[in-house]
Amino acid sequence: MDRTDPEGAIAKAAARVSNWGRWGPDDVLGTMNLLDDAKRREAAALVRTGASYSLSQSFDMDGPQRGWRRRTNPVHTMLDTGCDAAAGVQGFPHGIGGADDVIAMPLQCSTQWDGLGHIFDHGRAWNGRPAEQVVTSLGDAVTGIETVADRIAGRGVLLDVGRTFGEDGELPDGFAITEEHLEATIAAQGPTSAVGRGDIVVVRTGQLTRARREGWGEYAGGSAPGLSFTTVDWLHRTEIAAIATDTWGFEVRPNEFDDAFQPLHQVVIPHIGLFIGEMWDPDALAGACAADGNHDFLLTAAPLKITGAVGAPVNPVAVR
């Protein structure tokens, strides 16, 4: 890979792995086409103990955001409180009182999905559509996140690359996870880690574990372990429906080219049609998987059904 030529590498990769037209010219689902009813039935049979794990970080003002491109942490405000009820100022009859609240936040400030309208390549969105015809000031009129609100439930597979290759379960910042690392992790974890068509892969790097211990630092947008650009063929060949990590940006940072910004995104979202999850929290799940050796599970991860959104918050739940 020529570090000085990101544009050439992106173009070659896009030509190799493009799914444009695979599901017809009007497709809005991308790789979610690979997660079908049969795959969901298979996933339901993976519930062994019934134990469930949230894979979401918290949504609060103590999150990792630092204001990059106006991304801030959630601001939660109470509209009505127990104090108001106790003071009798709410105006309700026969003693009933209540509480209400509101939250203001960017849709990708914590655990979230990147939708298909999130990234473009030279002005082209998923399936080759002109970006300006997909996302306007009114939102994503074609591939808004609401199109997959009833889709993302299926077989999840945890690949704990941090546990396999890291010191004390954590990969160092800047560690590029290659196809070889992914396959070696699958081999080390055993047959329940086999990855295939329609699966939702969760990659644990251990960076979130470190951030919890040491503070957020530059977690949002700084150096991080993540997937190498060279995994693009693996991501296409395995026919997974989606992939998520415990990092801010999914791919290794700094990126592997001398002058680039998120080049793997530029291929996998608009060309493969792959859904990417970021800032997930797989730590508790990873401990359970390591304890009994089972690394696949039923995973539900529906985004909030926000019309026209190019990304959305999610509370993924793994059931083992």
Side-chain angles (χ1 to χ4, degrees), residues 160-179:
D160 196 344
V161 185
R163 190 179 298 267
T164 304
F165 287 97
E167 182 176 345
D168 296 325
E170 301 170 18
L171 300 178
D173 292 341
F175 186 101
I177 299 170
T178 65
E179 176 178 340

Side-chain angles (χ1 to χ4, degrees), residues 138-190:
L138 298 177
D140 185 339
V142 181
T143 51
I145 203 71
E146 73 276 7
T147 60
V148 294
D150 61 351
R151 289 270 174 170
I152 312 181
R155 178 178 183 255
V157 181
L158 176 73
L159 298 185
D160 196 344
V161 185
R163 190 179 298 267
T164 304
F165 287 97
E167 182 176 345
D168 296 325
E170 301 170 18
L171 300 178
D173 292 341
F175 186 101
I177 299 170
T178 65
E179 176 178 340
E180 289 71 27
H181 292 124
L182 295 171
E183 290 295 339
T185 299
I186 291 169
Q189 292 182 172

Side-chain angles (χ1 to χ4, degrees), residues 24-245:
D26 299 325
D27 181 69
V28 298
L29 300 177
T31 53
M32 282 300 151
N33 284 287
L34 301 167
L35 179 47
D36 56 19
D37 293 349
K39 195 69 184 179
R40 292 188 192 92
R41 288 194 298 272
E42 174 190 339
L46 296 174
V47 178
R48 302 171 176 94
T49 68
S52 60
Y53 302 82
S54 170
L55 308 187
S56 178
Q57 294 188 32
S58 298
F59 284 77
D60 56 39
M61 292 182 67
D62 296 323
Q65 298 300 330
R66 299 181 295 154
W68 178 81
R69 298 193 72 81
R70 300 184 295 279
R71 287 190 183 179
T72 58
N73 293 313
V75 177
H76 178 215
T77 304
M78 297 307 301
L79 301 178
D80 278 299
T81 70
C83 300
D84 300 327
V89 298
Q90 292 184 319
F92 296 126
H94 50 75
I96 189 172
D100 260 324
D101 44 6
V102 64
I103 192 166
M105 66 180 188
L107 297 183
Q108 300 186 50
C109 65
S110 186
T111 306
Q112 52 97 13
W113 283 117
D114 283 349
L116 295 185
H118 180 50
I119 296 292
F120 315 120
D121 180 19
H122 290 81
R124 293 285 167 173
W126 160 242
N127 225 20
R129 299 180 180 95
E132 70 274 14
Q133 295 179 16
V134 176
V135 183
T136 69
S137 60
L138 298 177
D140 185 339
V142 181
T143 51
I145 203 71
E146 73 276 7
T147 60
V148 294
D150 61 351
R151 289 270 174 170
I152 312 181
R155 178 178 183 255
V157 181
L158 176 73
L159 298 185
D160 196 344
V161 185
R163 190 179 298 267
T164 304
F165 287 97
E167 182 176 345
D168 296 325
E170 301 170 18
L171 300 178
D173 292 341
F175 186 101
I177 299 170
T178 65
E179 176 178 340
E180 289 71 27
H181 292 124
L182 295 171
E183 290 295 339
T185 299
I186 291 169
Q189 292 182 172
T192 61
S193 301
V195 170
R197 181 183 177 95
D199 288 339
I200 304 168
V201 176
V202 181
V203 175
R204 181 185 172 276
T205 71
Q207 191 197 32
L208 179 60
T209 310
R210 183 162 58 252
R212 280 202 182 95
R213 182 179 65 250
E214 300 177 359
W216 287 119
E218 295 187 347
Y219 176 88
S223 297
L227 270 70
S228 167
F229 184 81
T230 62
T231 60
V232 65
D233 295 284
W234 185 90
L235 294 169
H236 180 254
R237 185 175 66 251
T238 53
E239 294 193 311
I240 59 175
I243 187 167
T245 71

Side-chain angles (χ1 to χ4, degrees), residues 308-319:
V310 298
V314 60
N315 176 29
V317 176
V319 186

